[in-house]
Structure formats: C-alpha cells, structure tokens
Amino acid sequence: MITKRIIPCLDVKDGRVVKGVNFKGLADVSSPVELGKYYSDNGADELVFYDITASSDGRKLFTDILKQVASTIFIPLTVGGGINTVEDFDRVLKCGADKVSVNSGAIKNPDLIYHAAKRYGDQCVVLSVDAKRVNGKFTVFAKGGRENTGYDLIEWVKRGVDNGAGEIVLNSIDTDGVKGGFDLEMLSAVSKVVSVPIIASGGAGNKEHFVDLFNAIPKVDAGLAASIFHFGEVNILDLKKTLKQNNIPVRL
C-alpha cells in the first residue's frame, strides 16, 4: 500500500520563512535553512519551498538560499516561485530541487507544463493551484492569491494533467491559515477528475484534520501544512503515529 506523505511548506519572503492567514498578514517565522534541516531530520517525507513573492515582484527565485536548503536536507524537495520558463526549471533543478512547482507561470503560458514535462519528465512537474470560491464556483487565482484568473478550477487541473503535470498541489485560499480543517469539498471535486497524486494544502489545524482528510478522500496522497509545524503545534512524528493508529499507512 502506498504510504501517505506529510509535507511541511516553507513560504519564503526576503530569505525568511513567513506565514499568514488567507494569504495576508505575513509574519516572520525562521530561517529556511534551519527549518528545512529540522524537518528533514524529524520525519517529514518531503519539503516544499515557495519563494512567495517572486511572481508578484516580477523577479526570479532566490537561488542562494535554495542551494543552502537543498544541501542540508535528505528528503525530496519541491521548489516554486517565479517559474516562468523551461530555463527556470533548469536553474532550480541545478540548485538541488527534485521537483519544480509552477503556478502563475503556467497561467501566463499553459504550454510551459508541456515543454517542461517533455524535457524533464512528468514526475518533475508539479502544478500548484491556489483556488477559492467565487459566486459558488471553484476559481483559480494567480500571484499568491491576489489575482482572479476567472479560470474554472476543475477545467484548469484537467488541462494541466493533460499537458504533463505529474502532481497537483491544491491550496484552498478559503481555508489557508484558518486551521479549521482541509477544504474537503474542493479536494474531492479535483480528486474525481485527475489520476495523478494530489497534495492537500490549506487549513490544517491539528492531527485530526489529517485523519479526516485521508479517511474522507483516499485518493489524496499527501497533506501539506506550514504554521502548525513551524510553531510546534503539531509534531510530525506524533502526527504519523496518530495516522498509523487510524489505519492510515505512513512511513515511520
């Protein structure tokens, strides 16, 4: 049986890990290098590194910090932020990333996924999607949740997978940082239309929320969170023991 993955997320701004609520009110948390090493040593299955203002600032991702993080961890690393070209994929992979996450860059140029997957393989290309409800519809947002694209979420993820995305990170802006639980309705809708791994993001507040996630939507492969791990509210090894007690397969 395939084990469920637990993935901490480092949202990096100006070289520091930050966290907000509903994508607003960012507060300083820690050094991404120190935090990444801690998670690598303490049970995380993978690590996600987002340079969260690269797209909105119109610049390339900070590679010096990324190289430091990659050199200190021993788990798979997914990197995103300011990924707009195949050359950006190349640059980030050379810095030590295992997978590259594309969000706003794919919205600007949907062919980017296709070309990157052709060159590096589907397993390397992660489509990260920020979505929220607009007039009762799941709608895709760009630039860190600041720009409504008008795209329908379901059509967008189907298109991304058809183009070669090998994994989906689905982040619900509605539940992000609120700690009321994952957006099961949104995740369920996406799980019905794609066959690639889905990583749930946005809303985790306690261990039970992960139990609820994997029990409610068995097709979800991983749970991603930030602040509850960063601030010590949930310990990853404790979380995995709780999941195992609930007959959810994890790597301990």
Side-chain angles (χ1 to χ4, degrees):
M1 188 176 282
I2 297 173
T3 57
K4 302 298 186 184
R5 292 172 285 151
I6 301 300
I7 305 175
C9 179
L10 308 182
D11 291 322
V12 179
K13 180 177 188 281
D14 301 328
R16 298 285 293 176
V17 177
V18 296
K19 191 68 192 105
V21 176
N22 298 127
F23 284 34
K24 297 182 182 127
L26 298 175
D28 184 84
V29 176
S30 182
S31 151
V33 181
E34 292 171 12
L35 210 49
K37 184 176 189 316
Y38 171 80
Y39 289 135
S40 179
D41 293 344
N42 288 277
D45 294 297
E46 297 187 15
L47 188 68
V48 168
F49 177 112
Y50 286 139
D51 186 339
I52 59 170
T53 55
S55 289
S56 57
D57 292 351
R59 60 169 169 77
K60 294 188 182 298
L61 182 141
F62 291 128
T63 50
D64 52 345
I65 299 270
L66 172 57
K67 284 178 184 173
Q68 291 177 56
V69 172
S71 69
T72 57
I73 68 172
F74 300 96
I75 53 178
L77 175 63
T78 297
V79 176
I83 306 296
N84 295 299
T85 64
V86 173
E87 287 69 34
D88 290 332
F89 271 78
D90 190 62
R91 195 165 48 89
V92 169
L93 290 167
K94 283 176 177 168
C95 288
D98 298 283
K99 295 184 276 191
V100 181
S101 175
V102 61
N103 186 329
S104 296
I107 291 166
K108 283 185 283 192
N109 175 18
D111 290 338
L112 175 59
I113 292 173
Y114 174 81
H115 292 299
K118 281 290 181 197
R119 183 177 294 188
Y120 300 109
D122 294 10
Q123 80 291 338
C124 181
V125 182
V126 179
L127 175 59
S128 177
V129 187
D130 298 321
K132 72 178 188 178
R133 293 159 180 80
V134 178
N135 299 323
K137 280 182 60 178
F138 297 133
T139 305
V140 177
F141 278 67
K143 296 186 178 173
R146 286 182 280 274
E147 185 178 288
N148 184 346
T149 66
Y151 290 174
D152 175 78
L153 169 64
I154 302 305
E155 295 306 315
W156 179 242
V157 295
K158 281 163 62 178
R159 182 178 180 180
V161 171
D162 287 346
N163 275 340
E167 192 167 68
I168 302 285
V169 175
L170 179 59
N171 190 50
S172 170
I173 298 170
D174 294 325
T175 60
D176 178 75
V178 179
K179 299 183 182 177
F182 289 99
D183 197 329
L184 300 181
E185 182 189 21
M186 187 184 288
L187 287 157
S188 177
V190 169
S191 75
K192 288 170 182 168
V193 298
V194 299
S195 57
V196 300
I198 298 169
I199 299 171
S201 171
N206 55 47
K207 292 186 287 187
E208 286 67 36
H209 289 152
F210 288 86
V211 176
D212 293 343
L213 168 70
F214 295 129
N215 279 334
I217 315 170
K219 284 178 72 175
V220 167
D221 293 79
L224 180 148
S227 56
I228 60 165
F229 297 145
H230 298 343
F231 299 122
E233 295 162 48
V234 172
N235 175 279
I236 291 177
L237 288 174
D238 287 345
L239 167 58
K240 287 186 164 186
K241 287 172 186 171
T242 298
L243 291 171
K244 191 156 192 169
Q245 288 163 4
N246 284 271
N247 299 312
I248 295 165
V250 291
R251 179 183 64 85
L252 275 170

